[in-house]
Amino acid sequence: VDNANAPIFGIDIHGEVNEWNAKTAEITGYSREEAFTKPLVSTFIVPKLRHSVQEVLDNALQGNETSNYELEFETKSRETRYLLVNATTRRDAENNVVGVVGVAQDVTETAKHDRAVAAMANELRQLVDTANAPIFGIDVDGNVNEWNDKTAEITGFLKEEAMGKPLVSTFIVP
């Protein structure tokens, strides 16, 4: 566990860290000694996700495990690391629940890339919508699939009215 490629961390039934492998220490910047016995959620999870992460852990403590849950760890240097986690119930030899173990995959670079692409797409959408020139587009069948604010202003047709309609037969005067 300690030398695994994946971040592995665990909590006891009180939510305190009792497992923290080398990969988790590398990713978070917190050593095993710094993490042990600290409350996982309030210490290492970003504030906006604490409630939902606590629910996932509480469910796992009840035997209801969760797969592929994305959470955000706050590192010692105040960076955010995105982890895709499987939360598994940990049991003792008598099958009593003794905690939760999380086996994770660091998806930080993918998450940052996805967020950057979404931000760029949003900026482009705003640019098209607010351009001071009419911008419209059609799909391969000749139906309107783009209609910016200036086109609506000039034609008098709202975007909602134009979308999906055949451009030539609906909007071009013979």
Side-chain angles (χ1 to χ4, degrees):
V1 170
D2 194 50
N3 295 321
N5 262 352
I8 300 172
F9 52 91
I11 60 165
D12 62 20
I13 59 172
H14 305 292
E16 295 178 350
V17 174
N18 63 1
E19 183 66 55
W20 196 263
N21 77 346
K23 193 65 171 179
T24 305
E26 176 188 323
I27 287 171
T28 65
Y30 289 101
S31 69
R32 174 190 305 247
E33 294 73 29
E34 290 173 301
F36 259 47
T37 71
K38 299 267 189 330
L40 178 76
V41 173
S42 62
T43 307
F44 303 106
I45 305 302
V46 298
K48 69 180 179 181
L49 292 181
R50 287 180 181 160
H51 180 73
S52 61
V53 171
Q54 189 63 59
E55 281 184 6
V56 167
L57 296 174
D58 289 345
N59 285 338
L61 287 169
Q62 299 299 315
N64 303 316
E65 300 175 347
T66 300
S67 297
N68 297 321
Y69 179 80
E70 188 174 302
L71 62 80
E72 298 173 23
F73 253 83
E74 190 171 308
T75 68
K76 193 172 188 176
S77 61
R78 298 284 181 233
E79 294 178 76
T80 300
R81 300 298 294 193
Y82 299 89
L83 301 179
L84 197 58
V85 178
N86 291 337
T88 305
T89 306
R90 184 183 248 174
R91 298 177 184 275
D92 65 14
E94 288 81 43
N95 207 32
N96 298 310
V97 174
V98 295
V100 177
V101 65
V103 179
Q105 178 182 355
D106 186 357
V107 295
T108 302
E109 294 311 313
T110 302
K112 284 181 180 176
H113 177 264
D114 291 351
R115 284 168 176 75
V117 168
M120 188 181 308
N122 189 43
E123 284 182 38
L124 290 173
R125 163 67 30 226
Q126 288 177 340
L127 178 66
V128 167
D129 285 345
T130 61
N132 199 24
I135 300 174
F136 58 91
I138 58 172
D139 61 20
V140 294
D141 297 318
N143 296 320
V144 175
N145 63 3
E146 184 59 63
W147 197 264
N148 77 344
D149 295 346
K150 194 62 159 180
T151 305
E153 179 187 321
I154 291 170
T155 65
F157 290 97
L158 297 174
K159 182 175 188 170
E160 296 76 24
E161 296 171 311
M163 294 298 280
K165 299 241 171 51
L167 177 71
V168 174
S169 63
T170 308
F171 302 106
I172 306 297
V173 178

